[in-house]
């Protein structure tokens, strides 16, 4: 069944996730949805120094939004900020250096941010795919620390600020790879069995979908969504999946095409009219499970994931400075 699921996902992806899939879908887009002025609204984008994060930040800046870039690498982040300011003419671009794999750093950053800024839209874009099992300085498996726990803490810590805002939104950049994974709460840090970085990443992305659905139930005043950008030509894809990149490079989406649905979810009035908690691809809600794939989980597993992440996050919050 694992082989079947992977094959279905790959064949589906060849049709829909490539540049051709985007070009086909975009024929039905309403350009007016994203031709908006978001001056006065504040957006925070994690992993914003390259790829889909930077492309999203740039398009928001073009529309007048105040953009907070949250990046790990100071040098690359400063280059990205300068590029965004130069190309858009928007001076309201702010840089914050935070390692999303470091839970103590996220708690510290979020507390400071809540005291100094307002926030209308949080975009959880930062992610990683490490192909060998690596531990952070806190002893956390790096994919889990970045993709799941980091996303959980950043969102949880900023929800109180978002709840004060008008038309508050949280968008998380997931992956179609999650379609081949059933939620597994018994081995969150991939300690058991052989380590497959691609499947660990896909499991993290399934976890992000579950997080979004759970948050949507818990916080009715905030619009939550999660999305798949398709297969885009980004630095992360080139470095983490070199074989895939070589095979697919002529069919990959541009960074801007990958970012299109993130932008639409962040700025359009139409997106906010749809129910909170949905999974999107090319501006449309899509199923979170493939037919016959047996990836559905019982509600108690999804609730248990939230409990486990709460326990993890509080442990690091209790020792954080400030």
């Amino acid at each position: 069944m694992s082989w079947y699921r992977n094959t279905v996902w790959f064949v589906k992806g060849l049709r829909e996730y490539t540049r051709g899939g985007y070009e086909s879908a975009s024929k039905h887009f309403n350009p007016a949805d994203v031709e908006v002025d978001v001056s006065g609204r504040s957006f925070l984008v994690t992993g914003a120094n390259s790829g889909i994060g930077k492309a999203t930040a740039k398009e928001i800046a073009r529309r007048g939004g105040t953009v907070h870039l949250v990046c790990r690498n100071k040098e690359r982040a400063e280059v990205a900020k300068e590029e965004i300011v130069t190309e858009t003419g928007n001076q309201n671009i702010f840089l914050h250096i935070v390692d999303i794999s470091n839970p103590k750093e996220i708690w510290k950053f979020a507390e400071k941010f809540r005291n100094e800024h307002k926030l209308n839209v949080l975009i959880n874009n930062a992610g990683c795919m490490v192909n060998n099992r690596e531990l952070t300085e806190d002893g956390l498996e790096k994919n889990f620390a970045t993709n799941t726990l980091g996303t959980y803490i950043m969102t949880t810590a900023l929800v109180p600020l978002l709840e004060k805002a008008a038309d508050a939104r949280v968008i998380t950049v997931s992956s179609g790879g999650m379609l081949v994974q059933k939620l597994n709460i018994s081995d969150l840090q991939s300690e058991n069995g052989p380590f497959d970085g691609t499947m660990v990443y896909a499991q993290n992305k399934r976890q992000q979908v579950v997080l979004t659905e759970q948050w949507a139930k818990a916080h009715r005043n905030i619009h939550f969504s999660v999305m798949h950008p398709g297969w885009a030509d980004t630095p992360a894809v080139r470095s983490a999946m070199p074989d895939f990149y070589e095979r697919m490079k002529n069919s990959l989406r541009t960074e801007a095409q990958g970012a299109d649905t993130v932008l639409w979810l962040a700025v359009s009035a139409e997106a906010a009219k749809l129910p909170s908690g949905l999974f999107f691809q090319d501006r449309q809600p899509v199923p979170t499970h493939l037919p016959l794939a047996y990836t559905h989980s019982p509600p108690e597993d999804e609730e248990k994931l939230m409990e486990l992440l709460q326990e993890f996050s509080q442990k690091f919050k209790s020792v954080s400075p400030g």
Side-chain angles (χ1 to χ4, degrees):
M1 186 56 69
S2 176
W3 173 87
Y4 170 78
R5 290 199 302 266
N6 279 277
T7 301
V8 169
W9 170 57
F10 185 74
V11 172
K12 177 185 172 72
L14 283 176
R15 294 196 303 268
E16 298 180 19
Y17 298 167
T18 60
R19 187 187 311 145
Y22 173 83
E23 290 169 350
S24 177
S26 66
K27 293 175 183 176
H28 306 285
F29 292 172
N30 181 0
D33 285 358
V34 294
E35 290 173 359
V36 295
D37 183 345
V38 292
S39 300
R41 286 177 64 77
S42 176
F43 301 76
L44 188 154
V45 186
T46 68
N49 66 287
S50 67
I52 288 167
K54 184 173 76 171
T56 301
K58 190 178 293 184
E59 291 304 318
I60 292 169
R62 288 191 207 283
R63 290 157 176 78
T66 296
V67 185
H68 295 273
L69 312 175
V70 175
C71 308
R72 180 174 56 87
N73 184 290
K74 188 173 188 292
E75 291 73 24
R76 290 203 293 266
E78 287 175 343
V79 171
K81 176 186 173 182
E82 184 178 350
E83 178 184 323
I84 292 169
V85 170
T86 300
E87 290 192 20
T88 68
N90 188 336
Q91 299 294 321
N92 293 317
I93 312 298
F94 301 94
L95 186 56
H96 311 272
I97 305 304
V98 185
D99 183 349
I100 302 297
S101 73
N102 186 320
K104 294 188 290 292
E105 272 192 34
I106 303 172
W107 279 122
K108 182 179 178 182
F109 158 75
E111 181 175 357
K112 187 171 187 290
F113 190 91
R114 286 199 309 266
N115 291 329
E116 297 178 356
H117 303 281
K118 72 168 192 171
L119 183 63
N120 297 94
V121 181
L122 167 62
I123 299 171
N124 290 309
N125 167 74
C128 76
M129 184 193 294
V130 178
N131 290 312
N132 297 302
R133 192 172 188 274
E134 294 180 20
L135 299 182
T136 68
E137 64 182 40
D138 296 304
L140 300 168
E141 191 277 314
K142 193 166 186 180
N143 293 294
F144 167 76
T146 306
N147 303 325
T148 302
L149 186 60
T151 297
Y152 175 86
I153 294 176
M154 183 66 78
T155 305
T156 301
L158 293 177
V159 156
L161 188 58
L162 287 160
E163 287 185 328
K164 299 176 183 177
D167 189 16
R169 308 183 189 189
V170 175
I171 300 118
T172 299
V173 179
S174 182
S175 166
M178 70 92 192
L179 291 167
V180 305
Q181 286 284 311
K182 179 179 180 179
L183 179 66
N184 177 12
I185 59 171
S186 66
D187 189 22
L188 290 180
Q189 299 207 63
S190 309
E191 297 171 280
N192 304 322
F195 186 90
D196 182 333
T198 303
M199 288 299 104
V200 171
Y201 177 82
Q203 173 65 210
N204 296 160
K205 295 301 176 176
R206 169 61 71 187
Q207 291 160 359
Q208 290 179 342
V209 169
V210 173
L211 287 177
T212 299
E213 292 169 347
Q214 294 296 311
W215 283 326
K217 294 175 186 176
H219 306 288
R220 302 290 186 176
N221 294 330
I222 302 171
H223 190 276
F224 290 86
S225 56
V226 59
M227 58 78 67
H228 173 40
W231 292 339
D233 186 352
T234 65
V237 168
R238 293 186 182 207
S239 62
M241 305 174 69
D243 294 341
F244 171 83
Y245 172 75
E246 283 302 318
R247 187 168 66 248
M248 299 296 297
K249 61 184 178 183
N250 295 325
S251 301
L252 296 177
R253 299 178 177 203
T254 65
E255 293 173 346
Q257 289 171 343
D260 176 81
T261 296
V262 188
L263 177 70
W264 181 81
L265 288 167
V267 306
S268 78
E270 293 305 308
K273 294 176 184 177
L274 293 166
S276 184
L278 298 180
F279 180 60
F280 288 83
Q281 178 185 316
D282 292 332
R283 303 192 189 183
Q284 291 291 326
V286 293
T288 57
H289 300 277
L290 293 172
L292 308 177
Y294 302 101
T295 52
H296 293 268
S297 298
E300 54 266 30
D301 280 8
E302 298 179 354
E303 292 165 8
K304 183 64 176 177
L305 174 67
M306 303 304 284
E307 293 173 13
L308 291 170
L309 293 176
Q310 171 73 356
E311 290 172 13
F312 266 114
S313 67
Q314 290 303 309
K315 177 170 64 174
F316 293 105
K317 183 180 183 181
S318 65
V319 297
S320 66

